[in-house]
Amino acid sequence: MTSNPAAVQPLPTASLLEDTLQRLRLREADIVARDDRAWAAWRRWEHGQRGRVPATLGAVQASFVALAVLDDPADLDRAVALADQLGVERVAQLQHRASRVVDADPGLPRTTRVVHRLLGADASARLGRALLFADIALDAAAPTDLTSVRSALVALSHGGSVVAGREALGMLATEPWGPLADELTDQAAAADRDAIATLLAWCREWRADQDRRVVGRQIQRLIALSGVTQRQFAARIGTSPSRLSSYVTGAVTPSATLLLRMQRSARAFQIELAAASAARA
């Protein structure tokens, strides 16, 4: 199928959002012929919004339906364009919301198809990973049956269901540097080791990103407790406001010693502000 050049040429964000929605509507006949339930579910959702659908959400919903039902390579290009302009994580979360609208089947066949289509192309693979991990639930309990976990991971690597795959990834991502990870890799058949190693690397990267965000929220809390501005807090700990902002967002993780300095500084600011308040009273 020939791609529509308009789908891959750079467009301003507002034009891209509107064009994505309109392109889906123009292909109604093709979508209904292939998957009338997906189309009906999407239209019910759209009508239920009573014309108040945010442009970003509407466009990503439309993109998800196109990826789930049609085979046009231009839809992959369009998903990448949305991710480039809106952010990979944001688009993945909106795709996850879309899956709840058009993929009522507990087995999530449409979501599975979208994930594997995205993972199958280098340009969209990062978005595919973000959507795959968008509904990961960490499971603190170690699995009792490693064989089933390994089977789910191997199946996922070969186009299998994201439902079982996410459950297995959740178990693995709980402690991706622990003994479970080593056992899964060591006991895997030789033909499956590369696939499991790849998924393990994804889990480690995802968990490290989650941990950075937790640290960022802790730093944000320390700044709030200190009672001073972020600029004042940065000066107190010996860094720049922009660097402190990168710690808050999780883009950069501070060293353990700097984190301790932040905790001491927050307490010191509290004491100083309390003393100043008492002196004025």
Side-chain angles (χ1 to χ4, degrees), residues 64 92 95-97 99-100 103 106-108 111-112 115 128-139 152-153 156 160-173 203:
F64 183 91
Q95 286 179 326
H96 180 52
R97 288 178 61 179
S99 73
R100 296 175 179 173
D103 212 1
L108 300 182
T111 305
T112 294
V115 166
R129 285 171 55 181
L131 177 56
L132 175 62
F133 280 84
D135 195 31
I136 294 293
L138 296 178
D139 189 346
L153 294 175
L156 178 66
S161 168
V162 299
V163 177
R166 282 170 169 169
E167 183 178 356
L169 288 171
M171 295 178 183
L172 185 55
C203 282

mmCIF file of all heavy atoms in Angstrom, residues 64 92 95-97 99-100 103 106-108 111-112 115 128-139 152-153 156 160-173 203:
data_model
loop_
_atom_site.group_PDB
_atom_site.id
_atom_site.type_symbol
_atom_site.label_atom_id
_atom_site.label_comp_id
_atom_site.label_asym_id
_atom_site.label_seq_id
_atom_site.Cartn_x
_atom_site.Cartn_y
_atom_site.Cartn_z
ATOM 1 N N PHE A 64 -4.487 5.106 17.259
ATOM 2 C CA PHE A 64 -4.527 3.755 17.834
ATOM 3 C C PHE A 64 -5.461 2.860 17.026
ATOM 4 O O PHE A 64 -5.118 1.713 16.708
ATOM 5 C CB PHE A 64 -4.981 3.819 19.290
ATOM 6 C CG PHE A 64 -4.991 2.488 19.985
ATOM 7 C CD1 PHE A 64 -3.869 2.042 20.666
ATOM 8 C CD2 PHE A 64 -6.111 1.671 19.956
ATOM 9 C CE1 PHE A 64 -3.869 0.806 21.302
ATOM 10 C CE2 PHE A 64 -6.122 0.437 20.588
ATOM 11 C CZ PHE A 64 -4.994 0.003 21.268
ATOM 12 N N ALA A 92 2.096 7.250 24.699
ATOM 13 C CA ALA A 92 1.866 5.886 25.166
ATOM 14 C C ALA A 92 0.741 5.829 26.197
ATOM 15 O O ALA A 92 -0.093 4.912 26.170
ATOM 16 C CB ALA A 92 3.148 5.306 25.757
ATOM 17 N N GLN A 95 -2.444 6.260 24.337
ATOM 18 C CA GLN A 95 -2.750 5.012 23.629
ATOM 19 C C GLN A 95 -3.339 3.987 24.593
ATOM 20 O O GLN A 95 -4.255 3.236 24.228
ATOM 21 C CB GLN A 95 -1.480 4.446 22.984
ATOM 22 C CG GLN A 95 -1.010 5.191 21.753
ATOM 23 C CD GLN A 95 0.249 4.588 21.186
ATOM 24 O OE1 GLN A 95 1.108 4.078 21.933
ATOM 25 N NE2 GLN A 95 0.408 4.636 19.882
ATOM 26 N N HIS A 96 -2.802 3.970 25.796
ATOM 27 C CA HIS A 96 -3.330 3.049 26.796
ATOM 28 C C HIS A 96 -4.785 3.379 27.107
ATOM 29 O O HIS A 96 -5.623 2.478 27.247
ATOM 30 C CB HIS A 96 -2.478 3.120 28.057
ATOM 31 C CG HIS A 96 -2.930 2.210 29.155
ATOM 32 N ND1 HIS A 96 -3.152 0.864 28.966
ATOM 33 C CD2 HIS A 96 -3.214 2.458 30.472
ATOM 34 C CE1 HIS A 96 -3.549 0.319 30.103
ATOM 35 N NE2 HIS A 96 -3.609 1.271 31.015
ATOM 36 N N ARG A 97 -5.114 4.649 27.190
ATOM 37 C CA ARG A 97 -6.511 5.059 27.385
ATOM 38 C C ARG A 97 -7.358 4.636 26.194
ATOM 39 O O ARG A 97 -8.499 4.198 26.348
ATOM 40 C CB ARG A 97 -6.589 6.575 27.578
ATOM 41 C CG ARG A 97 -6.062 7.064 28.912
ATOM 42 C CD ARG A 97 -6.126 8.570 29.035
ATOM 43 N NE ARG A 97 -7.502 9.078 28.949
ATOM 44 C CZ ARG A 97 -7.820 10.365 29.043
ATOM 45 N NH1 ARG A 97 -6.846 11.258 29.219
ATOM 46 N NH2 ARG A 97 -9.068 10.744 28.967
ATOM 47 N N SER A 99 -6.876 2.072 24.325
ATOM 48 C CA SER A 99 -7.083 0.621 24.350
ATOM 49 C C SER A 99 -8.275 0.254 25.222
ATOM 50 O O SER A 99 -8.982 -0.727 24.952
ATOM 51 C CB SER A 99 -5.819 -0.093 24.853
ATOM 52 O OG SER A 99 -5.642 0.085 26.255
ATOM 53 N N ARG A 100 -8.521 1.041 26.261
ATOM 54 C CA ARG A 100 -9.674 0.772 27.124
ATOM 55 C C ARG A 100 -10.993 1.044 26.402
ATOM 56 O O ARG A 100 -12.030 0.474 26.752
ATOM 57 C CB ARG A 100 -9.589 1.627 28.386
ATOM 58 C CG ARG A 100 -8.393 1.297 29.266
ATOM 59 C CD ARG A 100 -8.294 2.272 30.430
ATOM 60 N NE ARG A 100 -7.178 1.961 31.311
ATOM 61 C CZ ARG A 100 -6.796 2.720 32.323
ATOM 62 N NH1 ARG A 100 -7.454 3.845 32.588
ATOM 63 N NH2 ARG A 100 -5.773 2.369 33.083
ATOM 64 N N ASP A 103 -10.782 -1.810 22.973
ATOM 65 C CA ASP A 103 -10.304 -3.190 23.168
ATOM 66 C C ASP A 103 -10.929 -3.789 24.418
ATOM 67 O O ASP A 103 -10.251 -4.044 25.417
ATOM 68 C CB ASP A 103 -8.775 -3.192 23.281
ATOM 69 C CG ASP A 103 -8.158 -4.472 22.725
ATOM 70 O OD1 ASP A 103 -8.918 -5.337 22.247
ATOM 71 O OD2 ASP A 103 -6.923 -4.583 22.739
ATOM 72 N N PRO A 106 -10.937 -9.120 27.070
ATOM 73 C CA PRO A 106 -9.919 -9.263 28.130
ATOM 74 C C PRO A 106 -8.542 -9.659 27.607
ATOM 75 O O PRO A 106 -7.523 -9.384 28.248
ATOM 76 C CB PRO A 106 -10.500 -10.355 29.041
ATOM 77 C CG PRO A 106 -11.977 -10.308 28.784
ATOM 78 C CD PRO A 106 -12.129 -9.947 27.341
ATOM 79 N N GLY A 107 -8.518 -10.307 26.450
ATOM 80 C CA GLY A 107 -7.239 -10.724 25.880
ATOM 81 C C GLY A 107 -6.493 -9.610 25.174
ATOM 82 O O GLY A 107 -5.341 -9.792 24.758
ATOM 83 N N LEU A 108 -7.121 -8.439 25.042
ATOM 84 C CA LEU A 108 -6.530 -7.259 24.412
ATOM 85 C C LEU A 108 -5.871 -7.553 23.055
ATOM 86 O O LEU A 108 -4.708 -7.225 22.816
ATOM 87 C CB LEU A 108 -5.495 -6.618 25.343
ATOM 88 C CG LEU A 108 -5.998 -6.133 26.697
ATOM 89 C CD1 LEU A 108 -4.867 -5.471 27.478
ATOM 90 C CD2 LEU A 108 -7.164 -5.171 26.552
ATOM 91 N N THR A 111 -4.753 -4.220 21.261
ATOM 92 C CA THR A 111 -3.575 -3.631 21.908
ATOM 93 C C THR A 111 -2.335 -4.452 21.596
ATOM 94 O O THR A 111 -1.254 -3.903 21.344
ATOM 95 C CB THR A 111 -3.785 -3.556 23.430
ATOM 96 O OG1 THR A 111 -4.994 -2.842 23.698
ATOM 97 C CG2 THR A 111 -2.619 -2.867 24.111
ATOM 98 N N THR A 112 -2.494 -5.772 21.608
ATOM 99 C CA THR A 112 -1.367 -6.655 21.274
ATOM 100 C C THR A 112 -0.861 -6.354 19.872
ATOM 101 O O THR A 112 0.348 -6.268 19.636
ATOM 102 C CB THR A 112 -1.798 -8.125 21.378
ATOM 103 O OG1 THR A 112 -2.106 -8.430 22.748
ATOM 104 C CG2 THR A 112 -0.695 -9.058 20.907
ATOM 105 N N VAL A 115 0.995 -2.924 19.835
ATOM 106 C CA VAL A 115 2.315 -3.025 20.467
ATOM 107 C C VAL A 115 3.316 -3.678 19.528
ATOM 108 O O VAL A 115 4.429 -3.167 19.319
ATOM 109 C CB VAL A 115 2.230 -3.812 21.794
ATOM 110 C CG1 VAL A 115 3.627 -4.213 22.278
ATOM 111 C CG2 VAL A 115 1.532 -2.987 22.858
ATOM 112 N N GLY A 128 6.498 1.644 21.126
ATOM 113 C CA GLY A 128 5.952 0.318 21.407
ATOM 114 C C GLY A 128 6.319 -0.163 22.798
ATOM 115 O O GLY A 128 5.486 -0.729 23.521
ATOM 116 N N ARG A 129 7.551 0.071 23.206
ATOM 117 C CA ARG A 129 7.980 -0.313 24.552
ATOM 118 C C ARG A 129 7.222 0.478 25.602
ATOM 119 O O ARG A 129 6.805 -0.068 26.634
ATOM 120 C CB ARG A 129 9.482 -0.098 24.704
ATOM 121 C CG ARG A 129 10.333 -1.131 24.010
ATOM 122 C CD ARG A 129 11.789 -0.750 24.005
ATOM 123 N NE ARG A 129 12.315 -0.490 25.338
ATOM 124 C CZ ARG A 129 13.569 -0.116 25.573
ATOM 125 N NH1 ARG A 129 14.402 0.076 24.568
ATOM 126 N NH2 ARG A 129 13.976 0.077 26.804
ATOM 127 N N ALA A 130 7.044 1.769 25.354
ATOM 128 C CA ALA A 130 6.331 2.609 26.330
ATOM 129 C C ALA A 130 4.889 2.145 26.481
ATOM 130 O O ALA A 130 4.353 2.123 27.594
ATOM 131 C CB ALA A 130 6.377 4.067 25.891
ATOM 132 N N LEU A 131 4.239 1.763 25.384
ATOM 133 C CA LEU A 131 2.866 1.263 25.472
ATOM 134 C C LEU A 131 2.830 -0.095 26.171
ATOM 135 O O LEU A 131 1.940 -0.353 26.989
ATOM 136 C CB LEU A 131 2.259 1.147 24.076
ATOM 137 C CG LEU A 131 0.841 0.569 24.001
ATOM 138 C CD1 LEU A 131 -0.141 1.367 24.860
ATOM 139 C CD2 LEU A 131 0.362 0.511 22.554
ATOM 140 N N LEU A 132 3.785 -0.948 25.877
ATOM 141 C CA LEU A 132 3.848 -2.253 26.530
ATOM 142 C C LEU A 132 3.952 -2.091 28.039
ATOM 143 O O LEU A 132 3.281 -2.799 28.808
ATOM 144 C CB LEU A 132 5.054 -3.030 26.003
ATOM 145 C CG LEU A 132 5.362 -4.387 26.669
ATOM 146 C CD1 LEU A 132 4.203 -5.362 26.474
ATOM 147 C CD2 LEU A 132 6.653 -4.970 26.093
ATOM 148 N N PHE A 133 4.762 -1.148 28.507
ATOM 149 C CA PHE A 133 4.981 -0.951 29.939
ATOM 150 C C PHE A 133 3.980 0.014 30.568
ATOM 151 O O PHE A 133 4.074 0.294 31.763
ATOM 152 C CB PHE A 133 6.405 -0.454 30.191
ATOM 153 C CG PHE A 133 7.446 -1.542 30.168
ATOM 154 C CD1 PHE A 133 7.998 -1.972 28.967
ATOM 155 C CD2 PHE A 133 7.870 -2.142 31.337
ATOM 156 C CE1 PHE A 133 8.945 -2.983 28.927
ATOM 157 C CE2 PHE A 133 8.821 -3.151 31.324
ATOM 158 C CZ PHE A 133 9.357 -3.576 30.109
ATOM 159 N N ALA A 134 3.026 0.499 29.785
ATOM 160 C CA ALA A 134 2.082 1.492 30.308
ATOM 161 C C ALA A 134 1.156 0.926 31.365
ATOM 162 O O ALA A 134 0.577 1.676 32.150
ATOM 163 C CB ALA A 134 1.256 2.088 29.164
ATOM 164 N N ASP A 135 0.990 -0.385 31.397
ATOM 165 C CA ASP A 135 0.076 -0.994 32.368
ATOM 166 C C ASP A 135 0.766 -2.093 33.160
ATOM 167 O O ASP A 135 0.170 -3.122 33.483
ATOM 168 C CB ASP A 135 -1.156 -1.555 31.641
ATOM 169 C CG ASP A 135 -2.301 -1.866 32.605
ATOM 170 O OD1 ASP A 135 -2.412 -1.176 33.633
ATOM 171 O OD2 ASP A 135 -3.078 -2.802 32.336
ATOM 172 N N ILE A 136 2.030 -1.881 33.474
ATOM 173 C CA ILE A 136 2.787 -2.860 34.250
ATOM 174 C C ILE A 136 2.471 -2.678 35.736
ATOM 175 O O ILE A 136 2.543 -1.569 36.264
ATOM 176 C CB ILE A 136 4.305 -2.695 34.030
ATOM 177 C CG1 ILE A 136 4.677 -3.045 32.590
ATOM 178 C CG2 ILE A 136 5.093 -3.554 35.012
ATOM 179 C CD1 ILE A 136 4.503 -4.496 32.241
ATOM 180 N N ALA A 137 2.109 -3.765 36.376
ATOM 181 C CA ALA A 137 1.871 -3.742 37.820
ATOM 182 C C ALA A 137 2.976 -4.542 38.488
ATOM 183 O O ALA A 137 3.136 -5.739 38.221
ATOM 184 C CB ALA A 137 0.500 -4.344 38.140
ATOM 185 N N LEU A 138 3.755 -3.885 39.334
ATOM 186 C CA LEU A 138 4.838 -4.573 40.026
ATOM 187 C C LEU A 138 4.260 -5.569 41.016
ATOM 188 O O LEU A 138 3.308 -5.271 41.736
ATOM 189 C CB LEU A 138 5.729 -3.569 40.754
ATOM 190 C CG LEU A 138 6.467 -2.582 39.843
ATOM 191 C CD1 LEU A 138 7.275 -1.606 40.681
ATOM 192 C CD2 LEU A 138 7.382 -3.321 38.880
ATOM 193 N N ASP A 139 4.833 -6.757 41.036
ATOM 194 C CA ASP A 139 4.360 -7.826 41.921
ATOM 195 C C ASP A 139 5.489 -8.176 42.880
ATOM 196 O O ASP A 139 6.500 -8.762 42.487
ATOM 197 C CB ASP A 139 3.954 -9.054 41.098
ATOM 198 C CG ASP A 139 3.263 -10.126 41.924
ATOM 199 O OD1 ASP A 139 3.328 -10.035 43.168
ATOM 200 O OD2 ASP A 139 2.663 -11.045 41.341
ATOM 201 N N ALA A 152 5.692 -16.987 29.036
ATOM 202 C CA ALA A 152 4.973 -15.757 28.677
ATOM 203 C C ALA A 152 5.914 -14.745 28.031
ATOM 204 O O ALA A 152 5.549 -14.057 27.076
ATOM 205 C CB ALA A 152 4.313 -15.160 29.914
ATOM 206 N N LEU A 153 7.132 -14.659 28.541
ATOM 207 C CA LEU A 153 8.103 -13.721 27.978
ATOM 208 C C LEU A 153 8.529 -14.143 26.574
ATOM 209 O O LEU A 153 8.636 -13.312 25.669
ATOM 210 C CB LEU A 153 9.329 -13.628 28.891
ATOM 211 C CG LEU A 153 9.099 -13.014 30.272
ATOM 212 C CD1 LEU A 153 10.366 -13.103 31.113
ATOM 213 C CD2 LEU A 153 8.653 -11.553 30.151
ATOM 214 N N LEU A 156 5.683 -13.449 24.235
ATOM 215 C CA LEU A 156 5.606 -12.014 23.967
ATOM 216 C C LEU A 156 6.625 -11.610 22.913
ATOM 217 O O LEU A 156 6.322 -10.812 22.014
ATOM 218 C CB LEU A 156 5.844 -11.228 25.255
ATOM 219 C CG LEU A 156 5.854 -9.700 25.136
ATOM 220 C CD1 LEU A 156 4.475 -9.185 24.739
ATOM 221 C CD2 LEU A 156 6.288 -9.057 26.456
ATOM 222 N N GLY A 160 3.198 -12.608 20.997
ATOM 223 C CA GLY A 160 2.147 -13.089 21.883
ATOM 224 C C GLY A 160 1.435 -11.987 22.630
ATOM 225 O O GLY A 160 1.798 -10.809 22.549
ATOM 226 N N SER A 161 0.432 -12.383 23.399
ATOM 227 C CA SER A 161 -0.455 -11.454 24.100
ATOM 228 C C SER A 161 0.289 -10.530 25.060
ATOM 229 O O SER A 161 1.170 -10.971 25.806
ATOM 230 C CB SER A 161 -1.504 -12.246 24.883
ATOM 231 O OG SER A 161 -2.203 -11.407 25.776
ATOM 232 N N VAL A 162 -0.125 -9.265 25.051
ATOM 233 C CA VAL A 162 0.461 -8.321 25.998
ATOM 234 C C VAL A 162 -0.087 -8.543 27.402
ATOM 235 O O VAL A 162 0.527 -8.094 28.378
ATOM 236 C CB VAL A 162 0.216 -6.855 25.582
ATOM 237 C CG1 VAL A 162 0.844 -6.554 24.246
ATOM 238 C CG2 VAL A 162 -1.264 -6.519 25.586
ATOM 239 N N VAL A 163 -1.207 -9.232 27.533
ATOM 240 C CA VAL A 163 -1.791 -9.453 28.863
ATOM 241 C C VAL A 163 -0.861 -10.342 29.690
ATOM 242 O O VAL A 163 -0.417 -9.963 30.779
ATOM 243 C CB VAL A 163 -3.196 -10.074 28.767
ATOM 244 C CG1 VAL A 163 -3.742 -10.367 30.153
ATOM 245 C CG2 VAL A 163 -4.143 -9.141 28.019
ATOM 246 N N ALA A 164 -0.579 -11.528 29.175
ATOM 247 C CA ALA A 164 0.339 -12.430 29.879
ATOM 248 C C ALA A 164 1.747 -11.836 29.924
ATOM 249 O O ALA A 164 2.468 -11.997 30.914
ATOM 250 C CB ALA A 164 0.355 -13.795 29.196
ATOM 251 N N GLY A 165 2.116 -11.152 28.853
ATOM 252 C CA GLY A 165 3.449 -10.554 28.812
ATOM 253 C C GLY A 165 3.630 -9.493 29.875
ATOM 254 O O GLY A 165 4.661 -9.438 30.545
ATOM 255 N N ARG A 166 2.623 -8.634 30.043
ATOM 256 C CA ARG A 166 2.722 -7.589 31.071
ATOM 257 C C ARG A 166 2.771 -8.181 32.467
ATOM 258 O O ARG A 166 3.485 -7.672 33.344
ATOM 259 C CB ARG A 166 1.535 -6.633 30.951
ATOM 260 C CG ARG A 166 1.656 -5.619 29.825
ATOM 261 C CD ARG A 166 0.366 -4.866 29.603
ATOM 262 N NE ARG A 166 0.530 -3.729 28.707
ATOM 263 C CZ ARG A 166 -0.477 -3.034 28.177
ATOM 264 N NH1 ARG A 166 -1.728 -3.374 28.475
ATOM 265 N NH2 ARG A 166 -0.243 -2.025 27.373
ATOM 266 N N GLU A 167 2.013 -9.241 32.695
ATOM 267 C CA GLU A 167 2.036 -9.874 34.011
ATOM 268 C C GLU A 167 3.429 -10.420 34.316
ATOM 269 O O GLU A 167 3.964 -10.241 35.419
ATOM 270 C CB GLU A 167 1.002 -10.996 34.064
ATOM 271 C CG GLU A 167 0.908 -11.666 35.421
ATOM 272 C CD GLU A 167 -0.157 -12.746 35.484
ATOM 273 O OE1 GLU A 167 -0.889 -12.920 34.482
ATOM 274 O OE2 GLU A 167 -0.269 -13.407 36.536
ATOM 275 N N ALA A 168 4.033 -11.066 33.322
ATOM 276 C CA ALA A 168 5.379 -11.605 33.515
ATOM 277 C C ALA A 168 6.402 -10.490 33.676
ATOM 278 O O ALA A 168 7.307 -10.566 34.515
ATOM 279 C CB ALA A 168 5.749 -12.503 32.333
ATOM 280 N N LEU A 169 6.257 -9.433 32.892
ATOM 281 C CA LEU A 169 7.183 -8.304 33.007
ATOM 282 C C LEU A 169 7.074 -7.635 34.364
ATOM 283 O O LEU A 169 8.066 -7.167 34.922
ATOM 284 C CB LEU A 169 6.903 -7.290 31.894
ATOM 285 C CG LEU A 169 7.304 -7.700 30.476
ATOM 286 C CD1 LEU A 169 6.761 -6.701 29.463
ATOM 287 C CD2 LEU A 169 8.809 -7.833 30.346
ATOM 288 N N GLY A 170 5.843 -7.586 34.914
ATOM 289 C CA GLY A 170 5.654 -7.003 36.232
ATOM 290 C C GLY A 170 6.411 -7.773 37.299
ATOM 291 O O GLY A 170 7.000 -7.193 38.219
ATOM 292 N N MET A 171 6.397 -9.101 37.192
ATOM 293 C CA MET A 171 7.150 -9.928 38.141
ATOM 294 C C MET A 171 8.647 -9.697 37.988
ATOM 295 O O MET A 171 9.383 -9.570 38.972
ATOM 296 C CB MET A 171 6.828 -11.398 37.917
ATOM 297 C CG MET A 171 5.391 -11.775 38.206
ATOM 298 S SD MET A 171 5.070 -13.530 37.862
ATOM 299 C CE MET A 171 3.308 -13.622 38.194
ATOM 300 N N LEU A 172 9.087 -9.614 36.730
ATOM 301 C CA LEU A 172 10.509 -9.450 36.472
ATOM 302 C C LEU A 172 10.988 -8.049 36.847
ATOM 303 O O LEU A 172 12.082 -7.871 37.390
ATOM 304 C CB LEU A 172 10.786 -9.715 34.993
ATOM 305 C CG LEU A 172 12.242 -9.711 34.523
ATOM 306 C CD1 LEU A 172 13.071 -10.698 35.343
ATOM 307 C CD2 LEU A 172 12.312 -10.059 33.044
ATOM 308 N N ALA A 173 10.144 -7.036 36.598
ATOM 309 C CA ALA A 173 10.544 -5.649 36.857
ATOM 310 C C ALA A 173 10.568 -5.305 38.334
ATOM 311 O O ALA A 173 11.119 -4.274 38.720
ATOM 312 C CB ALA A 173 9.603 -4.690 36.124
ATOM 313 N N CYS A 203 13.220 -4.204 31.173
ATOM 314 C CA CYS A 203 12.721 -4.099 32.548
ATOM 315 C C CYS A 203 13.662 -3.270 33.411
ATOM 316 O O CYS A 203 13.214 -2.442 34.223
ATOM 317 C CB CYS A 203 12.556 -5.491 33.154
ATOM 318 S SG CYS A 203 11.088 -6.382 32.613
#
